[in-house]
Amino acid sequence: IVRSEESIKPRSPCIYLFSTMPSEAPNKENTVIVLDKKDNLMSKMMDNSMAIFSVVFLIAIAASKTILTKAAFKQVDFAYPVILSGMSCLVTDAGIALLWGTGAASYAAPKKDKLWSFIVVTVMTALGMAFQNLALNCLSVALQQALRATLPVFVILFERIVLAKAHNGWIYVALVPLTVGPILCLSGSSGGDVTVMGLIYMTAGVLMSALKVVYLEKIVRSVRKDMGMVSFLFWLDLFMVPILAPWAVANGEIFDVVNWSQKDSSIAWFFLIMVSVMGGLRAYSINLTVKYASALTKTAADIFTQALTIYCSLLIFNTQSTPMLHAGIAVTVAGFAGYTAIKYNEKQKKKLAIKQKAKETEENEPFISKKAEENV
């Protein structure tokens, strides 16, 4: 709506922006831009709705993925963790290829100068995923999730010992419950919910994840930024297949899968495909949450997801719970919450310090150089 200033009469539904130079006829100097408050309100409501949806979607997908994977091993009797990991890669890539074909996502390939770095990331990711699936096949979900929460312990130790990186003293305090909690969970687990091989697999999986965080996090972010989330996920899963396939041959899964009791059941195959889809959906849900919600919201969602996954698994799989197991779960979740809160606070302080330094640098610039830049 374009009007001269003299004809403007304030009305509540609108916001008026106009120049300070009155004129009888509207022109570039006195153009009035009217912004409808209703449109702004609708836009904010849509953003808030998407933020809420993204968090709920992330929690639902992340918790469901772990529980459904365990159900595939236990209820569907598909005790082939490495093959299931490879299926997840192939199904996700098929879905992404469909998105590319319909134009819903843009195609991108890894850059040649970063190809070797991407291969290293792929190897670490494949090892971490396969080892954790092998562990989930041998351990209860509660114990597996508690052991998975020890990831920050390994990350901090690697950074301190290998990289000599200093941290806030409270970070080391938060590592205590993250160490004590899993020990309590292990002590409170029954014989059928814990095996030696399961503990070895889980330790190896957490170690691989910690090494990736410490040494390859910057590479992951750089490559993902170059290609975009969808293309990054496609090539990551595609490159993992040549690693997982020989592994399935070496451990005998590829030969034993022909004896699967439900190989003729279409329902069982549909269930496995749904479990495989969850991997891609989880990556998408994380990206959606980061886009529409804050980093703090995402970390809070991770804490809630861990607690929800553990306690839902106790009911679904009839896990024998003891006071020691419940104490271990509570200590682990509390430690994870404390660690994420301290880590988030560290990042915020670091960002504030960078902004303050940039502001001081700008203020200390010579007046003549600023004027010269303005004239240019």
Side-chain angles (χ1 to χ4, degrees), residues 281-336:
L281 286 178
R282 188 175 186 277
Y284 173 75
S285 65
I286 293 172
N287 192 49
L288 198 67
T289 304
V290 172
K291 181 179 179 180
Y292 288 101
S294 64
L296 180 59
T297 304
K298 197 264 179 186
T299 54
D302 289 340
I303 298 167
F304 185 78
T305 299
Q306 187 187 42
L308 180 66
T309 303
I310 290 173
Y311 282 104
C312 284
S313 70
L314 294 178
L315 298 174
I316 294 171
F317 301 110
N318 295 319
T319 304
Q320 184 179 352
S321 57
T322 62
M324 189 75 74
L325 178 62
H326 285 291
I329 292 169
V331 171
T332 302
V333 173
F336 186 63

Side-chain angles (χ1 to χ4, degrees), residues 215-234:
Y215 294 106
L216 304 173
E217 189 65 23
K218 289 183 179 180
I219 296 174
V220 171
R221 290 179 183 176
S222 175
V223 175
R224 187 166 53 196
K225 185 178 179 181
D226 291 339
M227 292 190 291
M229 184 63 182
V230 175
S231 295
F232 175 80
L233 185 61
F234 176 87

Side-chain angles (χ1 to χ4, degrees), residues 87-114:
M87 283 181 60
S88 178
C89 294
L90 294 173
V91 170
T92 300
D93 279 356
I96 293 175
L98 183 62
L99 292 176
W100 283 343
T102 57
S106 57
Y107 171 84
K111 294 182 178 179
K112 290 183 178 180
D113 61 329
K114 295 180 180 178

Side-chain angles (χ1 to χ4, degrees), residues 24-72:
E24 295 181 359
N27 52 41
K28 290 183 180 180
E29 283 72 23
N30 68 353
T31 300
V32 181
I33 304 172
V34 184
L35 303 175
D36 196 345
K37 283 184 178 178
K38 291 183 179 179
D39 290 342
N40 290 337
L41 182 60
M42 287 298 294
S43 178
K44 289 180 180 179
M45 288 177 64
M46 284 297 295
D47 288 342
N48 291 335
S49 298
M50 283 302 299
I52 295 170
F53 170 77
S54 64
V55 172
V56 174
F57 185 62
L58 172 63
I59 293 171
I61 292 297
S64 299
K65 181 183 181 297
T66 303
I67 291 173
L68 290 177
T69 302
K70 182 64 176 180

Side-chain angles (χ1 to χ4, degrees), residues 33 38 76 124 134 155 189 222 233 247 251 291 293 296 316-317 359 375:
I33 304 172
K38 291 183 179 179
V76 185
M124 291 286 191
L134 285 163
V155 170
S189 298
S222 175
L233 185 61
W247 191 344
N251 70 357
K291 181 179 179 180
L296 180 59
I316 294 171
F317 301 110
K359 186 178 179 181
N375 292 332

Side-chain angles (χ1 to χ4, degrees), residues 76 260 262 264-274:
V76 185
W260 179 37
Q262 301 192 45
D264 297 325
S265 172
S266 57
I267 296 176
W269 279 107
F270 177 76
F271 184 83
L272 292 180
I273 292 172
M274 289 301 298

